[in-house]
Amino acid sequence: MKQPNRLEHGGRIDRDRAIEMQFDGQTLSAFEGDTLASAMLANGLKIVARGFKYHRPRGVFSAGVEEPNALVHLRSGARHEPNARATVVEAYDGLQSTGQNAWPGVRFDISAVNQLLAPFIGAGFYYKTFMGPVKGTAFWMFCEKFIRRAAGMGRAQTVADPDEYEKVNAFCDVLVIGGGPAGLAAAIAAGQCGARVILLEQDACLGGSMLSLPVGGESDACLKAMEATLKGMDNVRILKRTTVFGAYDQDVYGAVERVWDHVEVPPAHQPRQRYWQIRTKQAVMATGAIERPLVFANNDRPGVMLANAVRSYVNRYAVLPGKKIVLATNNDSAYAVAADLVRAGAEVSLLDARVSVPAELFKPLEALGVQLYPGYGILAAKGSRGVSGAKIVLLDENGCARGPSKTIRCDLIAVSGGWTPVVHLWSQRGQKLQFDEQSASFLPLKSASSTLKTAGSANACGDLNQALLQGEVAGQEAAKAVTGVVGVQVNVPRLKEAIYADDWARDLLMIWSVTREDGSTDGKAFVDVQHDVALSDIDLAHREGFVSVEHLKRYTTTGMATDQGKLSNINALARMAQLQALSIPKVGTTTFRPPYTPIAIGAIAGREQGIHFRPTRLTPVHDWHVDNAAVMIEAGAWKRPWYYPEGGETINQAYVREAAHVRKHVGVVDASTLGKIAVQGPDAAEFLNRVYVNAWKKLKIGRLRYGVMLRDDGIVLDDGATARLGENDYFMTTTTANAAKILGYLEHLLQTAWTDLKVHVTSVSDQYAAFAVAGPSARDLLDAVCSGADLSNEALPNNQFVKATIAGVPVRINRMSYSGELAYEVYVASGYAHAVWKNLFKAGASFDIKPYGTESMGALRIEKGHVAGPEIDGRTTLGDLGLAGFASRVKPFSGSVLRHREKLDMASRPTLVGLEIDGDTGGMAGSLIYDQRAQQMGEEQGFLTSTTYSPALKKYISLALLRDGHERFGESVDIVNHVGDTVQTAKVVSPHFFDPEGARQNA
Amino acid sequence: MKNKYSIFSLARNALSYHQRWQTAWRSPEPKKQYDVIIIGGGGHGLATAYYLAKECGITNVAILEKSWIGGGNTGRNTTIVRSNYLWDESAAIYDHAMDLWSDLSQELNYNVMFSPRGLLHLAHSVHDMQEISRRGHSNHLNGIDAEFLNPEQIKKMLPFIELDCRYPVMGGILQKRGGTARHDAVAWGYARAADALGVDIIQNCEVTGFNIRDGAVCGVQTSRGQISAKKVGVVTAGHCSVLAEMAGFRLPIESFPLQAMVSEPVKPIVDCVAMSNGVHAYISQSDKGELVIGASSDTYTSYTQTGGFDVIEETIGAIVELYPLFSRMKMMRQWGGIVDVTVDRSPILSKTPVDNLFFNCGWGTGGFKATPGSGHVFAHSIANGEMHPIAAPFSIDRFHTGGLIDEGAAAAVAH
Ligand SMILES: Cc1cc2nc3c(=O)[nH]c(=O)nc-3n(C[C@H](O)[C@H](O)[C@H](O)COP(=O)(O)OP(=O)(O)OC[C@H]3O[C@@H](n4cnc5c(N)ncnc54)[C@H](O)[C@@H]3O)c2cc1C
């Protein structure tokens, strides 16, 4: 395709590198340095998208992130991306794009018939209908299907994203946001003052608004000089293609760098995007301003564009989107645009809503042949698939037509309604904005923040030299706040001649909407072009009382589209202000929410997906488990051996065999995942005495004790054994699941409640491995493998430990049993764990040692009636679990007061019981228990917590929480699985199914 | 008389260029005295006022809202509606709401867009499986629909889900009657209908204190002057503790930021609501096409409606983990609300130490779904001076007696 709108000369494109792209099957020829939008315009494409609701034809509207119209599908297959703004998509050879939200295509779109429905589908119409003739939701849901299909914008991708993303944490003294003149000046100044600076710019090039100025002018020289200065500063880091999307508490900024978004496929091992989390001491917000559109009938036609966007296309991309241009403004900034357009070869008529315009502005233009219309505005754009003319009128002070209209033929309408400073980040920090009458914009309330400074257009500073100065001062002040050094000379260039015509903030007439005398328009006049919100919708919202900004926004959906109101905000407010006869700030402003521009979800996830979604914790003997064919199970971050199938065993066969083996011979389970906390200090015993329900002050060195903790409201929190290793040195264990929670809880108590206690708590979960050796031959095995310790029953009874060595490795051997068998726990430093484990197995061969997994461990503890997670579920009390006997009656402890609240002490609470299930199928945890006689009353009596097949009892058993449980031993109950619709019967028994006297573990 | 909303009125008004629509509700000056004042113009407060007027014959009612109605959590939530809670007491109140949801649009003559598209809870561990199993069983008992799905059935409902992720999806529980509604419409629909029955909706009116005489409330101080009332209902969600302090007592409530986000809109891709407590990912798609994603509450108490970005990172990680195809979708807006959380994650509907002063709060991370039910039983409680039987178990007493209705013990968040 030829590039009919490409200028012969100029631009910041690389004419040596011609490229080709596709849009909707058409080939676009372009150059490197183009955006997709500039290429579309260069190639004379007018209709590039369709409106959201009415499917009206739309063209490129802006040249930046604020683009409301030119949203496209990018790429195909797994790298497909919806809703890409063509104005910021960097051109590359082979780029594929298509139109979206249109069928069969954007040039001809069937859904454009919606325009016929336009009278019916104004703001909030859906709240008033689709309710259906009868009660219920059926009619709505029927309609909703069609509404959903019609809504949405692009198509989501349908396969997983193949690209990688990563996260970086960065720290600096001064973060400069925005690489326009103010930002560059700030970075230079802060850097020269000695601060460590990070400068972020969303564009691929530095320069900001300077890039839209004529190539080769004085501003270019200034820009080059600044870039050169920055290049020479090794304390300034510059990141381009990087958008700061959010500002958070404690001066944390989130930014996304589009590292390889400008190519089809990122190079191998390179991330497509990188998420930066930046902690800074000071920040300078030099985020610029976005031009404001004007509102008039059919202002959405392809060929209506922002004035400075047109200037950008001319100067930066060497594209002149129209030959006969009507330029409408209410401020000074359009004058320089007009001059550039004429120089590029266009014929320009300039309409200024202001009646009197200073001579220094219009004189130079007159000399260039620009036709001037002071006091005029555009009433309507002519043309349906593109602009063919502008209907212009003299305006009164409200923007209403005064006198007859006339039509100027043109192929482009460029508009400037002043500018909106980009104050999103300021607002996100919760800082106040103040309405500035002169520039008609919400500005950062100076001095409100001590760590965030503003400079340049973000401050409504329309003059380039002024922006450079503001940047310099902000950079200096920010650096000074960090380094404390004052009076450092900095060296920021200035332009010799001020670019006088640019200062939009100097003299702006607050007219944005142009209507007929009666306030109506000649066709839809859009306030929010992307969401198809017209003036009439704002009027309707007003009529119906949706007048507060948030109501207005939500009722009409103004500002809720992907541009999040960057163009529509002030214009909507202004209309509402006019209708209510209030000033704009009286109507209010909405708070800005992150992100500033939409950011890829994948970038925020970074590499934390798949296997890295959560850290994986492996015990020191993990490899052995894998080598020995263990089937692993997730336990929080841990992977634990679930069971070790032998010869094609199922899980049920395997765990039953393993459990039986433990009761007969000896088994070892890897218990390294237990939480382990070193509790140390002179007040350690006192501390334990307060957090555990039982007494701890008299525990001797060499002993250990089972303990239970309560939440302060008296509910059971966790349990575990704690050993006293030395005078002030205790070794606590917690359940695997609660390890981190308990550590946090203990720290919390020490740091807030009992700051006087001299105790340190340190996690040593990773430092030690723990193996439970259980079974009748446990002692014989350990005797065979240990040296340096007497393990006899007399020397080492339950609840004591000894130090010993296994294969020369020091270990601690706790005598305690979870399985109910004669059992020991071997604690060993993690680095030696594998060696010790292997030695256990080597020596164990003659004792028929077998490993066992968590499933059989569960079976063994259920047989013994020990409680675990399913019973300690955050709702049960000591009494419920049959642990009340542990609680001290004399000392206070965490939870000791509230645990006696009346409902927690009630006798009828469900308590822990055992169930022997009849028949040869197991129960399902969660099934409900019914009284066999009272079932008709429909009241469930309790539920199953943990179930298993008991190899010892040769039947299915379960732990359960049952109302009046202790009084019901011997009673028969029904176990009902409502979901599977099955009923089983069971006998209520003591939860201590097996060896209740503990003969085996004390053997 | 109010304009009735219907396809016909819409057509008629189209012909007159929509010039004839009336305001959805009036903006009256506060009167000197009301029978009942409701503080807080969120969904729960508005619903309370509506049912007071509609069912209890009390129309001399004012709603005092410090900013604009529906601007609190009502306008910030992820709009998940379900009733498959564990305990009987919860099931009763949430399912009462569910019954009201299904006819709410007709009741209010306002399309609240309640759409029972099915709500799926995913289970990622044995523990999750046990939790949904127990909950499913009690749901059945309470007449609440619950279906267990295996991973293949889940894949059918959510074809793009990655079942075999870090924490593989082991199963799920489906409440077909669960779904979403349009939050703004709920607030506006109740407001319009209440207004039509004579309720005064007074916005920009912040309550700053209570007038209490002989242990009974007799009025409120506001930014727009003193207003007397025979009874006062406080429905201020995240700020309920602030109001309780004004009345001279404390509530067992902590206020946390809770965040949510939406993606850019796309054509329909997620049909049901999918929730996963295990990896913490909640997702649905709005009628506009945005993916609506809910995060977990922040770990620190705060009244700032922002919250930490770490929570968002965590949530997004989980979303990408379960739904890798959304990685390239873009997040468009992120926000937070202040949620009022009790230790048992169940609400407080209660009389208070001050006579004639009632509180309805503590809905925390999951009260949107209860809006109609909560307003309904709270209205009856205020009118009768005694808590409605469905509301009675949620009295403040339970924190004294230990009779908690613990919906949170297993999963820290109950949207
Ligand atoms: C991000 C997020 C996601 C959520 N997701 C869900 C979900 O998916 N499903 C679900 O069921 N729930 C969800 N919730 C919870 C739900 O939003 C709330 O429980 C529910 O909306 C509370 O309604 P409300 O009317 O009680 O409170 P609000 O809507 O918060 O209303 C309270 C009102 O009181 C006003 N007020 C406060 N102080 C004063 C004063 N002094 N004077 C006058 N007025 C005052 C406030 O301005 C506010 O308008 C979510 C919440 C959040 C924040």
Side-chain angles (χ1 to χ4, degrees):
Chain A
M1 199 177 189
K2 285 240 278 302
Q3 301 184 38
N5 293 337
R6 183 77 71 179
L7 298 169
E8 286 296 326
H9 304 285
R12 304 174 197 279
I13 47 174
D14 187 345
R15 290 185 194 252
D16 296 335
R17 291 167 183 249
I19 55 178
E20 283 193 343
M21 300 181 287
Q22 298 283 322
F23 174 72
D24 263 354
Q26 305 169 63
T27 304
L28 306 177
S29 21
F31 298 106
E32 247 170 50
D34 263 320
T35 60
L36 180 55
S38 69
M40 287 168 158
L41 291 170
N43 286 269
L45 244 55
K46 276 206 146 49
I47 303 176
V48 302
R50 286 277 166 169
F52 173 66
K53 197 155 136 185
Y54 307 120
H55 291 258
R56 290 159 62 115
R58 294 287 163 81
V60 174
F61 189 74
S62 75
V65 296
E66 67 272 28
E67 178 60 30
N69 284 346
L71 303 187
V72 298
H73 284 149
L74 227 50
R75 301 181 289 266
S76 57
R79 292 192 169 83
H80 167 84
E81 178 182 328
N83 306 333
R85 283 154 295 159
T87 48
V88 292
V89 172
E90 289 179 50
Y92 62 82
D93 197 34
L95 173 67
Q96 302 272 345
S97 60
T98 52
Q100 59 181 36
N101 198 31
W103 189 85
V106 294
R107 268 166 298 168
F108 176 75
D109 177 11
I110 293 279
S111 299
V113 296
N114 282 6
Q115 290 173 54
L116 299 177
L117 294 175
F120 306 95
I121 57 177
F125 76 97
Y126 28 75
Y127 299 125
K128 295 175 178 148
T129 182
F130 302 129
M131 288 168 272
V134 291
K135 289 194 166 189
T137 55
F139 184 72
W140 161 243
M141 289 189 72
F142 171 77
C143 302
E144 193 191 28
K145 275 204 190 74
F146 298 97
I147 294 175
R148 283 170 83 85
R149 252 177 253 163
M153 310 239 300
R155 253 179 308 102
Q157 46 280 55
T158 49
V159 283
D161 186 347
D163 290 334
E164 289 185 351
Y165 301 83
E166 63 186 28
K167 282 189 196 181
V168 175
N169 280 284
F171 303 83
C172 61
D173 296 331
V174 179
L175 175 70
V176 179
I177 306 158
L184 294 172
I188 292 174
Q192 289 178 344
C193 290
R196 289 176 309 142
V197 179
I198 296 180
L199 169 69
L200 303 181
E201 166 55 48
Q202 62 188 2
D203 206 320
C205 315
L206 294 178
S209 56
M210 294 169 108
L211 297 172
S212 302
L213 300 180
V215 173
E218 210 203 329
S219 64
D220 266 10
C222 174
L223 175 57
K224 277 220 182 70
M226 290 197 285
E227 287 196 73
T229 309
L230 286 168
K231 224 182 197 152
M233 300 171 73
D234 55 11
N235 57 337
V236 180
R237 174 176 213 166
I238 300 174
L239 295 171
K240 296 176 204 169
R241 300 190 170 105
T242 306
T243 304
V244 177
F245 63 80
Y248 299 91
D249 289 351
Q250 264 83 39
D251 303 291
V252 175
Y253 292 83
V256 168
E257 180 185 4
R258 290 169 298 280
V259 192
W260 290 108
D261 242 1
H262 54 293
V263 297
E264 182 77 18
V265 180
H269 313 301
Q270 293 275 325
R272 171 168 286 274
Q273 298 186 6
R274 188 177 285 136
Y275 158 43
W276 291 77
Q277 194 172 70
I278 303 169
R279 288 172 178 77
T280 186
K281 294 179 185 133
Q282 289 279 323
V284 177
M285 189 176 91
T287 39
I290 288 173
E291 197 163 23
R292 224 174 266 166
L294 296 173
V295 181
F296 48 86
N298 301 328
N299 58 339
D300 64 322
R301 289 287 183 247
V304 177
M305 295 178 72
L306 289 173
N308 264 271
V310 179
R311 189 187 197 191
S312 237
Y313 287 114
V314 169
N315 289 333
R316 181 169 177 183
Y317 302 103
V319 174
L320 184 62
K323 304 275 176 307
K324 265 178 79 74
I325 301 173
V326 171
L327 181 55
T329 186
N330 63 1
N331 67 89
D332 289 358
S333 71
Y335 286 76
V337 178
D340 287 355
L341 297 185
V342 174
R343 282 190 206 107
E347 190 181 309
V348 179
S349 309
L350 177 58
L351 280 55
D352 195 325
R354 300 170 298 179
V355 180
S356 60
V357 180
E360 81 241 34
L361 276 180
F362 70 78
K363 277 275 149 48
L365 290 190
E366 276 182 343
L368 288 170
V370 174
Q371 177 85 30
L372 268 169
Y373 294 87
Y376 270 84
I378 300 176
L379 184 59
K382 307 279 277 181
S384 60
R385 294 174 58 84
V387 168
S388 65
K391 212 160 146 185
I392 69 166
V393 282
L394 262 176
L395 303 179
D396 69 10
E397 66 279 8
N398 291 322
C400 293
R402 193 156 58 91
S405 64
K406 58 179 168 194
T407 299
I408 308 181
R409 289 177 52 84
C410 63
D411 56 0
L412 185 75
I413 292 176
V415 295
S416 174
W419 295 67
T420 305
V422 176
V423 293
H424 293 62
L425 299 173
W426 182 269
S427 168
Q428 287 171 20
R429 289 299 314 275
Q431 306 284 5
K432 282 267 168 311
L433 295 169
Q434 197 177 36
F435 193 73
D436 172 49
E437 292 287 335
Q438 202 189 0
S439 63
S441 54
F442 287 96
L443 295 183
L445 184 66
K446 291 271 177 45
S447 79
S449 166
S450 56
T451 55
L452 182 56
K453 318 233 166 336
T454 58
S457 298
N459 262 343
C461 159
D463 176 81
L464 186 49
N465 264 341
Q466 199 58 34
L468 290 166
L469 175 65
Q470 282 194 5
E472 178 181 320
V473 171
Q476 255 175 324
E477 281 181 1
K480 192 177 81 186
V482 177
T483 61
V485 183
V486 291
V488 185
Q489 264 297 312
V490 299
N491 178 23
V492 175
R494 293 282 189 287
L495 272 68
K496 279 192 238 72
E497 214 177 312
I499 302 195
Y500 63 93
D502 271 340
D503 195 347
W504 48 276
R506 190 164 48 192
D507 173 25
L508 181 142
L509 182 64
M510 288 201 220
I511 288 180
W512 292 285
S513 304
V514 176
T515 62
R516 297 196 194 110
E517 283 91 333
D518 63 358
S520 66
T521 52
D522 238 3
K524 288 244 173 242
F526 290 97
V527 176
D528 184 325
V529 211
Q530 182 169 157
H531 252 172
D532 278 357
V533 181
L535 279 183
S536 55
D537 294 312
I538 310 262
D539 298 358
L540 179 63
H542 173 250
R543 200 168 300 127
E544 298 193 276
F546 294 91
V547 292
S548 89
V549 199
E550 283 293 337
H551 282 162
L552 167 67
K553 190 174 125 184
R554 286 154 182 260
Y555 192 63
T556 62
T557 74
T558 304
M560 310 277 278
T562 64
D563 56 352
Q564 291 287 290
K566 292 189 180 65
L567 296 173
S568 58
N569 220 330
I570 294 286
N571 288 350
L573 280 177
R575 178 65 167 195
M576 186 52 87
Q578 202 176 16
L579 292 168
Q580 286 191 279
L582 292 173
S583 65
I584 291 177
K586 278 266 161 9
V587 176
T589 178
T590 56
T591 28
F592 295 98
R593 308 268 174 225
Y596 171 59
T597 49
I599 47 172
I601 283 175
I604 302 305
R607 294 197 190 263
E608 281 152 42
Q609 39 180 301
I611 183 90
H612 300 301
F613 167 57
R614 292 277 183 273
T616 304
R617 298 178 82 180
L618 304 177
T619 78
V621 279
H622 178 80
D623 292 348
W624 189 95
H625 302 314
V626 174
D627 291 345
N628 285 273
V631 176
M632 307 299 284
I633 188 169
E634 310 281 343
W638 292 103
K639 286 203 184 288
R640 304 189 68 178
W642 192 3
Y643 58 99
Y644 301 82
E646 284 181 0
E649 275 176 337
T650 64
I651 173 169
N652 287 337
Q653 292 162 337
Y655 89 78
V656 169
R657 173 188 48 74
E658 287 171 16
H661 188 88
V662 170
R663 297 239 182 272
K664 205 158 159 209
H665 306 282
V666 60
V668 186
V669 63
D670 182 1
S672 304
T673 60
L674 285 177
K676 305 175 206 82
I677 300 171
V679 181
Q680 293 161 318
D683 293 324
E686 171 64 24
F687 180 59
L688 293 172
N689 210 43
R690 293 185 194 183
V691 296
Y692 279 127
V693 303
N694 40 346
W696 284 82
K697 287 213 160 152
K698 295 198 180 119
L699 186 73
K700 294 198 184 106
I701 295 173
R703 301 278 165 106
L704 54 123
R705 183 168 288 170
Y706 172 75
V708 184
M709 287 182 204
L710 304 187
R711 301 195 312 222
D712 52 10
D713 66 351
I715 300 292
V716 177
L717 174 62
D718 200 45
D719 67 348
T722 293
R724 185 172 187 186
L725 304 185
E727 180 60 26
N728 296 326
D729 188 5
Y730 293 79
F731 189 100
M732 175 188 279
T733 60
T734 72
T735 57
T736 299
N738 284 337
K741 187 161 130 192
I742 299 298
L743 183 73
Y745 170 68
L746 299 181
E747 276 291 6
H748 178 76
L749 289 172
L750 287 171
Q751 290 180 28
T752 62
W754 304 322
T755 50
D756 55 323
L757 289 190
K758 296 197 179 74
V759 180
H760 276 294
V761 288
T762 313
S763 169
V764 290
S765 296
D766 286 336
Q767 280 67 22
Y768 291 94
F771 313 135
V773 182
S777 332
R779 184 183 294 126
D780 299 339
L781 161 63
L782 286 177
D783 265 334
V785 76
C786 284
S787 41
D790 179 357
L791 302 177
S792 68
N793 203 18
E794 298 67 38
L796 186 65
N798 264 310
N799 293 326
Q800 295 199 14
F801 69 82
V802 287
K803 294 193 169 162
T805 60
I806 294 179
V809 177
V811 297
R812 177 159 52 82
I813 298 177
N814 288 4
R815 168 115 188 245
M816 60 176 302
S817 177
Y818 190 53
S819 56
E821 292 305 313
L822 170 64
Y824 301 85
E825 279 177 1
V826 179
Y827 284 85
V828 51
S830 299
Y832 298 95
H834 196 214
V836 167
W837 177 276
K838 278 211 311 229
N839 267 283
L840 280 174
F841 275 83
K842 208 160 86 194
S846 46
F847 301 94
D848 200 6
I849 187 174
K850 293 243 178 230
Y852 66 103
T854 54
E855 193 67 18
S856 45
M857 185 177 76
L860 293 167
R861 70 102 188 159
I862 294 171
E863 286 180 335
K864 288 295 293 178
H866 289 317
V867 294
E871 289 78 33
I872 305 183
D873 67 350
R875 299 178 174 115
T876 42
T877 65
L878 286 174
D880 299 347
L881 301 180
L883 299 173
F886 278 98
S888 162
R889 275 171 223 280
V890 289
K891 61 150 194 176
F893 51 86
S894 275
S896 60
V897 176
L898 293 184
R899 86 184 183 96
H900 287 303
R901 286 178 293 169
E902 84 196 54
K903 290 270 168 68
L904 297 184
D905 259 352
M906 256 177 1
S908 60
R909 283 180 68 86
T911 45
L912 187 74
V913 296
L915 293 177
E916 291 180 1
I917 300 170
D918 302 328
D920 49 11
T921 43
M924 179 174 175
S927 295
L928 303 178
I929 304 171
Y930 287 94
D931 189 325
Q932 282 186 329
R933 292 148 308 178
Q935 198 185 336
Q936 284 85 330
M937 288 162 57
E939 261 214 274
E940 97 272 26
Q941 304 278 310
F943 71 102
L944 273 55
T945 54
S946 305
T947 67
T948 187
Y949 177 78
S950 162
L953 276 67
K954 305 239 173 333
K955 59 177 97 169
Y956 285 96
I957 60 170
S958 175
L959 293 177
L961 288 161
L962 179 64
R963 223 175 282 176
D964 299 317
H966 288 306
E967 283 145 42
R968 302 171 74 160
F969 291 173
E971 191 182 307
S972 246
V973 292
D974 284 345
I975 300 174
V976 182
N977 176 339
H978 283 278
V979 185
D981 219 9
T982 61
V983 181
Q984 293 166 287
T985 55
K987 191 166 87 185
V988 182
V989 296
S990 155
H992 309 295
F993 294 94
F994 182 66
D995 184 23
E997 298 78 28
R1000 300 173 71 89
Q1001 71 196 50
N1002 293 323
Chain B
M1 252 303 278
K2 277 247 149 113
N3 294 145
K4 190 169 157 50
Y5 289 163
S6 70
I7 183 98
F8 306 110
S9 68
L10 200 60
R12 237 183 357 262
N13 273 283
L15 298 178
S16 54
Y17 302 100
H18 299 282
Q19 298 292 330
R20 301 227 183 99
W21 292 113
Q22 299 159 326
T23 55
W25 55 85
R26 300 159 295 133
S27 296
E29 280 304 309
K31 292 192 248 177
K32 286 264 152 307
Q33 202 266 341
Y34 288 95
D35 290 342
V36 178
I37 282 178
I38 299 296
I39 305 174
H44 288 236
L46 292 160
T48 306
Y50 169 75
Y51 291 112
L52 275 171
K54 176 84 190 304
E55 294 193 4
C56 308
I58 306 178
T59 54
N60 185 25
V61 176
I63 291 172
L64 310 183
E65 165 54 51
K66 72 171 171 186
S67 95
W68 38 281
I69 61 167
N73 294 344
T74 298
R76 296 161 188 270
N77 76 88
T78 50
T79 77
I80 295 172
V81 174
R82 64 182 179 96
S83 65
N84 55 354
Y85 281 73
L86 174 66
W87 299 105
D88 298 352
E89 295 85 348
S90 319
I93 196 162
Y94 288 105
D95 215 44
H96 181 51
M98 195 63 109
D99 285 342
L100 295 172
W101 274 118
S102 65
D103 300 335
L104 195 58
S105 294
Q106 292 88 359
E107 166 84 20
L108 301 178
N109 181 230
Y110 207 89
N111 186 0
V112 300
M113 304 184 192
F114 172 54
S115 164
R117 270 180 278 133
L119 180 136
L120 186 57
H121 272 110
L122 304 175
H124 298 267
S125 65
V126 173
H127 173 264
D128 283 354
M129 290 296 285
Q130 286 168 346
E131 190 274 329
I132 61 170
S133 142
R134 181 176 171 209
R135 187 149 54 88
H137 290 133
S138 12
N139 290 159
H140 269 248
L141 207 54
N142 283 310
I144 293 170
D145 60 312
E147 274 172 51
F148 288 114
L149 302 190
N150 60 30
E152 294 75 60
Q153 291 167 307
I154 291 169
K155 186 87 184 167
K156 272 210 186 104
M157 285 191 75
L158 299 166
F160 43 81
I161 195 172
E162 178 63 59
L163 293 173
D164 192 18
C165 52
R166 172 78 169 79
Y167 295 103
V169 177
M170 301 172 97
I173 187 172
L174 171 70
Q175 183 179 22
K176 280 202 174 133
R177 290 187 305 150
T180 55
R182 172 93 194 120
H183 52 15
D184 290 333
V186 173
W188 301 342
Y190 271 119
R192 176 170 168 272
D195 174 88
L197 295 169
V199 172
D200 283 357
I201 295 169
I202 300 163
Q203 303 185 86
N204 299 312
C205 179
E206 178 169 5
V207 171
T208 53
F210 292 96
N211 294 331
I212 295 169
R213 202 183 308 125
D214 301 331
V217 69
C218 55
V220 295
Q221 298 141 24
T222 77
S223 55
R224 294 172 69 170
Q226 306 259 349
I227 310 175
S228 29
K230 296 185 186 141
K231 293 177 179 175
V232 176
V234 178
V235 201
T236 54
H239 284 75
C240 56
S241 315
V242 180
L243 275 288
E245 192 174 19
M246 290 177 196
F249 56 92
R250 295 183 68 194
L251 285 177
I253 284 213
E254 292 179 299
S255 288
F256 295 92
L258 176 67
Q259 303 181 65
M261 74 199 88
V262 291
S263 74
E264 290 185 343
V266 283
K267 294 291 174 196
I269 180 156
V270 185
D271 202 36
C272 62
V273 183
M275 311 178 69
S276 159
N277 291 341
V279 300
H280 229 114
Y282 302 78
I283 196 162
S284 65
Q285 188 173 17
S286 71
D287 284 346
K288 235 177 76 190
E290 302 144 332
L291 300 179
V292 182
I293 296 168
S296 56
S297 46
D298 279 40
T299 40
Y300 299 98
T301 52
S302 162
Y303 283 117
T304 70
Q305 284 176 327
T306 48
F309 196 68
D310 55 319
V311 179
I312 298 290
E313 286 180 33
E314 183 101 345
T315 301
I316 284 184
I319 291 291
V320 172
E321 177 60 7
L322 270 178
Y323 313 111
L325 78 165
F326 293 147
S327 161
R328 206 175 293 258
M329 288 280 297
K330 289 176 238 127
M331 168 167 101
M332 182 171 84
R333 190 169 62 250
Q334 172 220 329
W335 68 90
I338 300 303
V339 294
D340 40 338
V341 177
T342 57
V343 305
D344 62 359
R345 302 273 168 170
S346 282
I348 294 173
L349 291 98
S350 188
K351 297 200 216 179
T352 65
V354 179
D355 285 347
N356 298 335
L357 178 63
F358 301 79
F359 266 65
N360 179 353
C361 58
W363 291 98
T365 57
F368 174 70
K369 62 179 73 67
T371 305
S374 152
H376 187 249
V377 298
F378 196 52
H380 281 276
S381 306
I382 294 177
N384 298 332
E386 278 310 319
M387 297 316 289
H388 185 281
I390 291 182
F394 296 96
S395 120
I396 295 183
D397 282 356
R398 74 177 190 274
F399 302 98
H400 296 280
T401 63
L404 301 184
I405 304 165
D406 200 335
E407 290 290 345
V413 165
H415 279 295

